[in-house]
Amino acid sequence: MTRIIADISVSLDGFITGPDPGPDNGLGAGGEALHTWAFSDAPDDRRILREATARSGAVVLGRRLFDVVDGPSGWDDTTGYGAGEVGKPAFVVVTSSPPKTVRLTDLDWTFITTGLPDAVTAARERAEASSSGSGKDLDVVLMGGGATIGSALDAGLLDTLTLHLAPVVLGAGTPLFTGGAPRTLVQRSVTSTSTATHLTYDVL
């Protein structure tokens, strides 16, 4: 069965970027420390990254995050989603209007202008189609940004929330949670490494 999973790195004080993020500095000042685990050689870090990307049938992201990853300082062959791990999934972007051009033309982009629920539905269809072709269950992964994940949680769209808690205090930046409806989470797994504490919750 296709699950809807939010998967994001966060600081100890709850930020998913450092201060002053922008198209040329998507993680903000000091924000690179949030993703140290993703470039680690530690066996558990590598396993978690490998398993997360292997299960991704489609990936949902917001427009601001798309502008960062598709910008001139964004993704390349070494830093893109699941780089060096598995085949590239389909990407679904929530936006008010599609971009005029796309730099990363080797990726499969779909732009949804009718809201997050429709984007999740489109991503589920892509993931289920990929599941049928591969013979294994694949999931929809919401990679961010924070507003997209927060909105999905508030709307009851998520089955699972995975946080990679980095041992850093950023002091300011983009918060992951900014309020919203209460949600009950059930802790499913915890893996601690030198670079992060990887937490997975089922969302009730």
Side-chain angles (χ1 to χ4, degrees):
M1 184 179 68
T2 298
R3 297 173 300 165
I4 312 300
I5 300 172
D7 190 312
I8 196 164
S9 298
V10 62
S11 69
L12 289 173
D13 49 349
F15 295 106
I16 59 167
T17 76
D20 302 319
D24 295 326
N25 185 25
L27 292 174
E32 295 83 1
L34 295 170
H35 296 278
T36 299
W37 73 270
F39 300 95
S40 165
D41 291 327
D44 279 337
D45 287 327
R46 299 308 306 166
R47 175 184 58 79
I48 287 167
L49 182 64
R50 181 176 63 252
E51 290 176 352
T53 55
R55 73 173 183 242
S56 302
V59 175
V60 176
L61 60 159
R63 178 57 186 269
R64 281 184 290 182
L65 181 54
F66 167 79
D67 287 342
V68 170
V69 302
D70 194 57
S73 301
W75 286 351
D76 55 30
D77 290 340
T78 62
T79 60
Y81 187 91
E85 293 295 330
V86 295
K88 297 170 183 175
F91 293 90
V92 177
V93 181
V94 188
T95 180
S96 59
S97 61
K100 294 180 179 180
T101 61
V102 175
R103 178 178 66 87
L104 298 171
T105 55
D106 59 324
L107 299 180
D108 180 358
W109 296 105
T110 298
F111 299 93
I112 300 295
T113 60
T114 52
L116 180 58
D118 286 345
V120 170
T121 296
R124 186 192 294 273
E125 291 171 353
R126 300 300 298 273
E128 289 175 347
S130 295
S131 295
S132 297
S134 66
K136 61 180 180 180
D137 290 335
L138 297 175
D139 297 321
V140 172
V141 177
L142 275 68
M143 65 172 287
T148 299
I149 289 177
S151 295
L153 186 64
D154 289 345
L157 297 174
L158 297 181
D159 299 309
T160 302
L161 174 64
T162 295
L163 302 178
H164 309 284
L165 187 62
V168 59
V169 175
L170 293 174
T174 305
L176 176 56
F177 300 117
T178 57
R183 287 288 168 186
T184 299
L185 307 179
V186 176
Q187 186 170 285
R188 181 151 56 87
S189 67
V190 179
T191 302
S192 296
T193 71
S194 63
T195 57
T197 302
H198 305 281
L199 303 157
T200 298
Y201 301 93
D202 291 327
V203 181
L204 301 184

